[in-house]
Amino acid sequence: MAFVKDMLRMWAHSWKRFISIAMITLLGVAVLTGIYAGCRDAFRSTDRFFDAQGLHDVQVLSTAGLSNGDIAALRKVNGVAKVQAERSQEVTFDLDGRKSATMQEIGTNGIDQPYLQEGRMPKKAGEIAVTRKFIRDSGKHIGSRLTVTPESASSDTSDTSDTNGADGTNETNGTDEAPSFPTKLTIVGVVLDPQNLSNPDGYSAMTSFRSTATTDYTFFAPSDGVTGTLCTSATLLVKGAAAESTFDESYENTVKQVTDRIDGTVKTDRQKARRQELLDAGNRKIVDARAEADKKFADAQSQIDANRQQFNQQVDQIVSMQASAAAAGAATNGANAGAAAAAGAATPQLDETTRETMRETIIAASPELTQAKQQLDQAQSQLNEQKASTEQTLKTKENELKTSIPQVRWYVQDRQSLGGFSALKSDLDSIQSLGNAFPIVFLVVAVMMSLTAMARMVEEDRSLIGTYVGLGYGRLAVASRYLLFALLACLIGGGLGLLVGFLGIPAFLLVVLEGMYVMPGVRLEYDWLYGSLGIALFVVGVLAATIYACVQEMRMTPAALMRPKAPRAGSRILLERIRPVWNRIGFLGKVTARNIFRFKSRLIMTVGGVAGCTALIVCGLAINDTVADLGIKQYRDIYQYDLMVVSDDSDASAMRTKVASDGRVTSSLDVRIESGDLTVAGSGDGDSGKAGSSGSESIQLVAVPEKHLSDLGEMVTLQPVSSGMLGTSGVGKTGSLKLDDDGVIVAQSAASALGVKAGSKVRLTNGDGVQATAKVSAVNRNLIGSDVYVSETYYAKLFDSKDAKNTKNSKSSEDSEALTWNAMLAKLSGSDTSQTDYAESLEEDSSVMKAVSCAHMADSFKFDLMGAVVALIVALAGGLALVVLFTLANTNVSERVREMATLKVLGFFDREVHHYVNREMMILTVMGVILGLPLGRLVGGMLTMALNMPSLYFEVEVKPLSYVIAAAATMTFALLVQLFVNPVLDRIDPISSLKSVE
């Protein structure tokens, strides 16, 4: 019982050490669990939401649309739980200029169901539900009406399925028709699209502008009122996928098995079958056209024949009359009256030659008959010409049918192809990678500080330990005093750390995340396993340090332990050997130097602890500086143009005329911009048609006219880069990179994420969904966005020659369709404000789809999520620095109580004692800061390498001010600790402190 009471008194006396160990454990567990828990809560809530709304696991797109046969084939694939055929149509409407939207049919099979936020779901024809983004941009509300205009053609079906029948129609086949939606619409609800969780009122993508292959908004409509049997896509749910977390590798493996099956046989068979359907439909149209033409020609021929018969009968009557009159005249001149009477009673018989001669004479003598005959002959001639022409046209169509219908392509996509899904996953993964790295530093510092504190605690009780051992107490029982002390401190600190880690930090992160994404049903959850392991990790580390300290002392005999520890033998330090310096140092300076360098363990612990904390602060500020400079570097350094203007293909000429007429442009470059996809060629077959795989990146494909390839360097800074170490990269000389016809130039942001370098093979997907394997000629320095530059000739080689190969039709470049330059890069005159205003005014023009001002982008770029996490990390690192300095200072004082008492006896005033002790701590702190500043830059470079986010490359940047802030913060904490240590020095009693232990 006395042993327990003494142990409790010892614990109470060492409350400062207890608080230090508890605080370090609290901070470490909070960092270890907090960022993880925040990301995990977001992952889980999003996964639940996706399951509730039936977000598709696989989506199948086709360049010729999907028929009922395609849907039936997908249902038979092993592992497919549900298949939903989807119909959609692109429409345009007037909203401060022309805007576009996708009319999306709400599926009836429970897949991709929109989440109702306000109002009700549409049920009748003409009712729609819109997204909150549309409500914000348009100012409309529930009950508002809207009129839309369908696009003239759908890029997914009409371009590839039009067979151009003889009748001039533009249908897919005899039975499948493209979807058509009502055009008079009424808003009845506001919904959240499960495919895009971006918060329209929060942070938006920094390079978001709509390309030719996307629309501004999505409208959801019921099946009522939708016509057309051809599907634009098919969405699938995979068996067993809902049981897995959508962000885990197990989910990806489950879905991949199904996509591989579709890619293996179903896709190839249905591509051929679908093309054969189109060929059969074309043949049927030709047969029907021939039958209809034959019927029309037969009817026309019958009409002509009837009119000719009537004409001939009329002429024959005249011939008969003239013949009878001639016969009657001849009989009158004869002698036999009876013969005359007989001749008058019978029509004379004429031979065919005579009759035909008389017919021609009669027709020639009558203008009316001549005109009638000419009309009949002309009608017959025209009919014959039409017959010949139609027959020739039909034969030509028969010959051209196979070449006019290109190969059908399927694209099998998983959730990774959804921009909102991949952005959320990448953001959370990047933040989680920070949460996995920083706790390592906290753990190392916790072990170091625990070793320092517990070693001093055990050393203070040296004589007591010897007494207990001498009285027969086991070494394990004696060591348990300190082990239980450290364990209790870790458990209490860890428990508080779990509260902060699973409640405080996740709540903070979710507030920031909800400003970027809409996550319905998010809630804070506790992970017993991870939380227990988090505490256990620090418990093991601290207990290991405590055991080491106990073993170091208890290996001595009780008699040795009960005697005072012999002072450390005197030795010279290196500075003493430098006589010119040493001789000029005062007495107290020499004492300070000896105290610092002779006690190497204290030197290492103090300098190492301070350096670690300083490095964490520098690392956080480095990430903040890197993010803060991204916009400036990209939009003022890399992008040399001031304005990017994008239009529809049909409005490209009007857009250029409008910009030119304004007189603001000093120089410009016409380009073609398309949204596409870049996939590492090694991740799949070059013609597999599978997009959105793990090795893919959304890109902006920029095609440059062949005659202006050299002008690209005037609009964009072309600098080749090579991968470096620790967040650095080798950047070549400006202007040393040229775009040519041998390959594409890939942006550094995409190349870094996919591991692409010069000479690599990649698979490119253009705005029309056509894929081709391309060679990477160089990687260009680029921080925001994933631009891929390609020459006009190489673009045609990639995307035109493939069709030519499939159809075996060698088409010359003159016959190929020329690219439409739908975008312009321009340099403007005027200030940044005027350039921003001009870009906003251009967006009001009907010919302009989007106008982006680089000046505005540079000023408005921000990364809220990363900034919030950096602020959290800096705050926690600052707290750790404060605890570390407090622990080291108190340990330093406790080790030197007799020395301080001696100084007081010698006549030192309290202020002089403060200066004597604090000077050593300040010097050690300065040494730790000097070591921690470059260490922080190093750690910051390593962490930014782990932040592979879509369309972003973190080029590490640490401003001088950040180094100053980190150093000043650490020194401020050191000064703050002095305020707590000085009263302890004042309370040292020289008499009791100098009493002999014996």
Side-chain angles (χ1 to χ4, degrees):
M1 190 65 181
F3 180 81
V4 175
K5 288 183 178 179
D6 183 65
M7 180 177 66
L8 294 177
R9 281 195 298 267
M10 182 267 293
W11 288 4
H13 179 71
S14 303
W15 63 271
K16 294 179 181 178
R17 294 190 181 97
F18 187 92
I19 292 178
S20 297
I21 296 175
M23 287 298 298
I24 292 176
T25 306
L26 185 154
L27 292 172
V29 172
V31 172
L32 178 65
T33 59
I35 297 178
Y36 159 81
C39 295
R40 176 175 143 305
D41 292 341
F43 278 139
R44 287 195 172 185
S45 64
T46 306
D47 182 61
R48 289 193 299 268
F49 175 74
F50 287 159
D51 291 341
Q53 304 309 123
L55 181 66
H56 67 262
D57 298 313
V58 180
Q59 184 180 41
V60 179
L61 303 172
S62 173
T63 56
L66 298 172
S67 64
N68 293 332
D70 297 329
I71 304 300
L74 290 173
R75 287 196 175 99
K76 296 178 182 179
V77 175
N78 183 26
V80 173
K82 286 184 180 181
V83 177
Q84 178 174 286
E86 296 190 345
R87 295 179 293 180
S88 63
Q89 182 184 31
E90 291 188 7
V91 298
T92 58
F93 56 94
D94 185 42
L95 179 64
D96 295 331
R98 190 177 66 173
K99 300 293 183 182
S100 63
T102 298
M103 294 289 295
Q104 180 68 47
E105 179 187 16
I106 300 176
T108 57
N109 208 12
I111 303 179
D112 289 344
Q113 298 296 298
Y115 176 79
L116 183 63
Q117 294 178 301
E118 185 181 348
R120 63 175 178 85
M121 296 299 291
K123 299 178 180 178
K124 299 184 299 183
E127 294 181 344
I128 60 169
V130 300
T131 60
R132 192 166 296 280
K133 177 185 176 184
F134 175 77
I135 294 294
R136 184 201 64 180
D137 295 347
S138 65
K140 296 184 181 295
H141 52 80
I142 294 178
S144 298
R145 299 183 181 276
L146 180 68
T147 301
V148 298
T149 303
E151 290 283 359
S152 58
S154 172
S155 61
D156 287 336
T157 58
S158 62
D159 290 343
T160 56
S161 59
D162 176 20
T163 55
N164 285 331
D167 56 353
T169 60
N170 193 16
E171 299 176 357
T172 304
N173 57 38
T175 57
D176 294 332
E177 296 179 358
S180 178
F181 287 71
T183 56
K184 303 291 186 180
L185 307 176
T186 302
I187 301 174
V188 298
V190 180
V191 297
L192 173 65
D193 185 356
Q195 298 187 32
N196 184 7
L197 301 183
S198 299
N199 187 348
D201 299 319
Y203 173 71
S204 59
M206 65 294 298
T207 56
S208 59
F209 65 90
R210 188 171 63 81
S211 69
T212 57
T214 60
T215 55
D216 295 305
Y217 309 101
T218 301
F219 299 157
F220 296 91
S223 299
D224 186 20
V226 182
T227 61
T229 58
L230 190 67
C231 303
T232 52
S233 66
T235 51
L236 290 71
L237 292 182
V238 176
K239 293 179 181 178
E244 306 289 345
S245 174
T246 185
F247 301 99
D248 290 346
E249 186 177 355
S250 58
Y251 167 81
E252 296 179 0
N253 294 334
T254 302
V255 174
K256 188 175 185 300
Q257 292 176 3
V258 175
T259 56
D260 288 345
R261 293 189 189 108
I262 297 175
D263 282 332
T265 57
V266 177
K267 185 180 76 171
T268 302
D269 294 342
R270 289 309 307 171
Q271 285 178 163
K272 294 179 180 178
R274 180 60 179 154
R275 186 169 187 270
Q276 189 59 46
E277 289 177 2
L278 298 178
L279 291 174
D280 293 342
N283 287 324
R284 285 196 301 270
K285 289 170 63 177
I286 293 175
V287 171
D288 294 342
R290 178 177 278 111
E292 183 179 358
D294 290 344
K295 183 177 180 300
K296 291 180 179 179
F297 292 151
D299 293 341
Q301 187 64 55
S302 299
Q303 184 66 35
I304 293 175
D305 292 343
N307 292 337
R308 189 176 293 281
Q309 183 179 4
Q310 183 180 0
F311 175 80
N312 290 336
Q313 289 177 352
Q314 183 179 358
V315 174
D316 288 343
Q317 288 179 0
I318 297 174
V319 169
S320 298
M321 291 174 60
Q322 289 183 356
S324 297
T332 302
N333 296 328
N336 192 345
T347 301
Q349 297 296 324
L350 300 175
D351 59 78
E352 191 62 30
T353 301
T354 304
R355 181 177 293 275
E356 188 62 31
T357 302
M358 293 182 65
R359 286 169 56 88
E360 293 177 357
T361 303
I362 292 171
I363 293 172
S366 173
E368 293 81 1
L369 292 178
T370 300
Q371 183 179 3
K373 186 176 184 300
Q374 290 176 350
Q375 290 177 348
L376 288 173
D377 292 341
Q378 185 177 2
Q380 184 64 53
S381 176
Q382 291 177 351
L383 180 60
N384 293 337
E385 290 178 359
Q386 289 179 1
K387 280 185 178 181
S389 176
T390 301
E391 184 62 26
Q392 182 62 36
T393 300
L394 293 175
K395 288 183 178 180
T396 302
K397 291 297 181 183
E398 288 178 341
N399 296 331
E400 294 179 350
L401 182 60
K402 290 186 178 181
T403 58
S404 63
I405 298 180
Q407 298 294 331
V408 176
R409 298 187 187 90
W410 271 25
Y411 299 106
V412 184
Q413 302 175 337
D414 56 21
R415 290 182 181 178
Q416 294 290 341
S417 64
L418 300 177
F421 176 88
S422 60
L424 173 63
K425 183 176 185 297
S426 179
D427 283 349
L428 294 177
D429 284 342
S430 298
I431 300 307
Q432 199 168 32
S433 66
L434 293 178
N436 295 334
F438 276 96
I440 298 176
V441 180
F442 278 77
L443 178 61
V444 172
V445 173
V447 171
M448 292 174 59
M449 295 303 102
S450 300
L451 179 60
T452 301
M454 296 310 298
R456 180 55 192 165
M457 185 177 181
V458 173
E459 185 177 340
E460 287 179 352
D461 291 346
R462 174 187 176 90
S463 60
L464 185 60
I465 293 173
T467 302
Y468 277 125
V469 174
L471 291 174
Y473 286 89
R475 281 179 166 79
L476 181 59
V478 177
S480 64
R481 292 159 48 95
Y482 311 101
L483 294 175
L484 291 176
F485 177 85
L487 177 62
L488 184 61
C490 284
L491 292 178
I492 293 177
L496 295 175
L498 291 180
L499 292 177
V500 177
F502 283 98
L503 294 178
I505 295 178
F508 170 75
L509 289 179
L510 290 177
V511 169
V512 180
L513 281 171
E514 288 176 346
M516 300 174 58
Y517 303 99
V518 180
M519 296 180 291
V522 63
R523 62 175 182 261
L524 303 179
E525 301 181 30
Y526 180 70
D527 188 336
W528 287 97
L529 178 61
Y530 195 85
S532 301
L533 291 177
I535 294 180
L537 184 64
F538 281 85
V539 166
V540 170
V542 173
L543 288 182
T546 305
I547 292 173
Y548 176 80
C550 292
V551 169
Q552 290 295 105
E553 292 293 336
M554 293 183 184
R555 64 186 178 181
M556 300 181 185
T557 62
L561 289 172
M562 285 187 284
R563 288 195 300 270
K565 190 175 182 179
R568 183 182 296 273
S571 61
R572 288 189 174 187
I573 62 175
L574 179 63
L575 190 60
E576 292 186 52
R577 304 181 186 279
I578 308 176
R579 288 296 177 180
V581 177
W582 183 258
N583 292 335
R584 287 172 172 78
I585 299 177
F587 172 75
L588 292 180
K590 292 178 180 179
V591 173
T592 300
R594 287 196 180 103
N595 288 336
I596 290 175
F597 293 105
R598 284 181 61 197
F599 300 97
K600 294 182 175 57
S601 60
R602 188 173 66 194
L603 171 66
I604 294 174
M605 292 297 179
T606 305
V607 174
V610 173
C613 297
T614 305
L616 287 178
I617 298 175
V618 172
C619 181
L621 295 175
I623 297 176
N624 184 71
D625 291 343
T626 298
V627 173
D629 281 354
L630 283 178
I632 296 176
K633 288 181 178 180
Q634 181 68 36
Y635 297 108
R636 295 192 183 277
D637 184 14
I638 298 176
Y639 287 166
Q640 299 182 38
Y641 60 84
D642 301 315
L643 177 71
M644 175 191 291
V645 189
V646 185
S647 71
D648 277 328
D649 286 357
S650 57
D651 296 328
S653 178
M655 177 268 291
R656 287 193 293 271
T657 302
K658 164 65 178 174
V659 175
S661 63
D662 291 338
R664 295 292 305 276
V665 175
T666 58
S667 62
S668 65
L669 174 64
D670 294 335
V671 296
R672 177 168 183 80
I673 293 181
E674 300 176 353
S675 282
D677 188 79
L678 183 146
T679 307
V680 179
S683 64
D685 180 66
D687 195 28
S688 65
K690 180 178 179 182
S693 61
S694 59
S696 65
E697 185 88 3
S698 297
I699 62 168
Q700 180 175 286
L701 189 61
V702 182
V704 182
E706 194 68 25
K707 296 180 180 179
H708 300 284
L709 294 181
S710 59
D711 297 337
L712 179 63
E714 298 179 4
M715 295 296 172
V716 179
T717 301
L718 298 179
Q719 290 180 275
V721 295
S722 56
S723 59
M725 298 180 60
L726 305 178
T728 63
S729 59
V731 181
K733 183 180 178 182
T734 301
S736 61
L737 183 60
K738 301 292 184 182
L739 180 63
D740 52 34
D741 300 332
D742 295 332
V744 298
I745 297 178
V746 179
Q748 185 180 13
S749 47
S752 175
L754 299 178
V756 173
K757 58 184 180 180
S760 299
K761 294 289 186 179
V762 295
R763 190 169 68 242
L764 291 177
T765 305
N766 70 354
D768 295 327
V770 181
Q771 295 186 339
T773 300
K775 175 186 175 183
V776 178
S777 61
V779 175
N780 183 51
R781 177 173 176 254
N782 197 84
L783 308 180
I784 302 175
S786 296
D787 297 333
V788 175
Y789 299 101
V790 57
S791 68
E792 179 183 6
T793 300
Y794 196 58
Y795 182 98
K797 178 181 178 181
L798 291 176
F799 301 112
D800 289 348
S801 61
K802 188 171 183 179
D803 291 337
K805 179 180 178 181
N806 288 334
T807 58
K808 297 182 180 180
N809 178 27
S810 57
K811 193 164 50 173
S812 64
S813 59
E814 290 79 11
D815 296 332
S816 300
E817 184 178 355
L819 289 178
T820 300
W821 309 113
N822 66 335
M824 174 189 291
L825 309 179
K827 293 183 178 181
L828 303 178
S829 58
S831 64
D832 290 349
T833 302
S834 65
Q835 293 177 9
T836 301
D837 294 339
Y838 178 61
E840 293 177 354
S841 66
L842 279 179
E843 287 196 328
E844 299 177 0
D845 190 89
S846 60
S847 64
V848 176
M849 180 186 300
K850 192 68 178 178
V852 180
S853 168
C854 287
H856 173 70
M857 298 300 291
D859 295 337
S860 62
F861 176 84
K862 59 181 179 178
F863 200 171
D864 295 339
L865 178 59
M866 188 63 70
V869 175
V870 166
L872 176 64
I873 290 173
V874 171
L876 292 173
L880 180 64
L882 184 61
V883 174
V884 166
L885 290 170
F886 178 79
T887 302
L888 293 172
N890 278 282
T891 301
N892 183 38
V893 172
S894 65
E895 288 177 343
R896 305 168 63 184
V897 171
R898 293 176 64 85
E899 181 183 350
M900 300 301 106
T902 302
L903 292 176
K904 289 190 175 185
V905 170
L906 293 174
F908 279 65
F909 293 102
D910 288 342
R911 182 177 297 178
E912 293 174 326
V913 175
H914 297 169
H915 180 70
Y916 177 80
V917 175
N918 293 332
R919 181 168 56 178
E920 294 181 16
M921 283 301 301
M922 292 302 294
I923 292 175
L924 291 173
T925 301
V926 170
M927 294 172 64
V929 168
I930 294 174
L931 180 62
L933 293 180
L935 181 62
R937 170 61 179 81
L938 185 68
V939 175
M942 296 174 63
L943 285 178
T944 52
M945 290 180 64
L947 298 179
N948 287 330
M949 304 183 68
S951 303
L952 284 177
Y953 177 80
F954 294 94
E955 191 175 71
V956 183
E957 177 75 18
V958 186
K959 297 180 180 178
L961 181 60
S962 296
Y963 289 118
V964 174
I965 292 175
T970 305
M971 299 304 295
T972 301
F973 292 144
L975 294 174
L976 183 62
V977 167
Q978 291 181 11
L979 299 178
F980 296 99
V981 174
N982 290 339
V984 177
L985 296 174
D986 295 339
R987 288 194 297 267
I988 294 178
D989 183 14
I991 297 176
S992 60
S993 300
L994 291 175
K995 285 192 303 184
S996 175
V997 177
E998 301 169 338

